Amino acid sequence: MRKLIRKIDAVATNDGDGVKIHRIAGRQLNSVLDPFLMVDEINSDDAADYIGGFPEHPHRGFETITYMKAGRMRHRDHMGNEDVIESGDVQWMTAGKGVLHSEMPEQENGLLHGFQIWLNLPANEKMKPAAYRDIRDESITELNLKQGGLVRVIAGSLKVNSVDLVGPLPPLSTEPVMLDVMLNSSESVELEFNKQNTALVYVYSGGLNQADNELNRRQMGVFSPGESLRLQGGDDGAKVLVFSGKPLNEPIAQYGPFVMNTVEEVEQAFQDFRQNKLV
């Protein structure tokens, strides 16, 4: 059984055009999250916290995953892709060699709740062509639990309470697993996926009542390698995102929107961007 070995608190900050978020990221966490780089949560019903959105900006060297729980977000990129994702939808974008995109709220009031996750690419894929996948709510694999909970498989393959489930994405080199797990009070679930890969759990509502420790809202738990991961909802239940992936164990050079392996590669990305050669 995987054991909880570390807890990380999300930090309140701003990004984009003044959007208020809670973030787990930073150089000191790169080896802990590997192959993930960052988890951001937006959760507000005050339009002033999110209305500025994320105007056009560049990326290179990694993938961004946007998952909406409530509200609407419009995506545009330089390849001509444009779409609105709503509650339950996912936008999976591979920046690769370079992408210019924007993410703007498609609402002027009401609750906006969603996540953006950065997933690193191995060195030999950082300059691959940019790509975009649109994953609609109805295409995400789901399993209803016996006590009323729900598991949504956004990416990866695993066993949930001994039931084999596969998400809608094709296999990727980083072997990502991404789940949205919703548990009622004291309800538990057992997850089995690659025993050596990273196992991260982010609590976005309620809390987990683990045998050896607890995880509260806006905390991420880092779990040891193991055959299975058992999660149990606290008194108010729990809603969590579960992440797993194959660690790259490669050097990371990051500055702003560019994530490469060396400082020279980051400098080249900035130069390409200034000379309109990024995309």
Side-chain angles (χ1 to χ4, degrees), residues 156-226:
S157 60
L158 73 158
K159 289 182 182 289
V160 179
N161 291 344
S162 299
V163 177
D164 290 308
L165 298 178
V166 180
L169 284 177
L172 301 174
S173 62
T174 49
E175 302 177 6
V177 171
M178 181 173 168
L179 314 174
D180 186 4
V181 180
M182 290 155 272
L183 301 172
N184 290 320
S185 176
S186 301
E187 185 177 20
S188 63
V189 66
E190 190 164 330
L191 312 172
E192 299 175 60
F193 45 85
N194 190 304
K195 65 181 181 181
Q196 293 300 325
N197 284 359
T198 304
L200 309 168
V201 178
Y202 179 76
V203 179
Y204 66 88
S205 180
L208 290 175
N209 181 18
Q210 300 297 118
D212 54 350
N213 215 327
E214 295 181 353
L215 278 177
N216 299 314
R217 186 181 181 217
R218 290 184 175 146
Q219 283 187 324
M220 174 175 280
V222 181
F223 288 79
S224 68

Side-chain angles (χ1 to χ4, degrees), residues 6 18 40 56 111 129 154 162 221 238 240 252 264:
R6 181 171 179 177
D40 279 356
E56 187 176 82
L111 176 63
I154 296 165
S162 299
V240 308
I252 296 174
E264 291 76 16

Side-chain angles (χ1 to χ4, degrees), residues 56 75-81 95 98-102 130 278-279:
E56 187 176 82
H75 164 88
R76 290 189 180 96
D77 65 34
H78 77 279
M79 298 176 288
N81 296 306
V99 69
L100 300 174
H101 79 137
S102 63
L278 186 76
V279 300

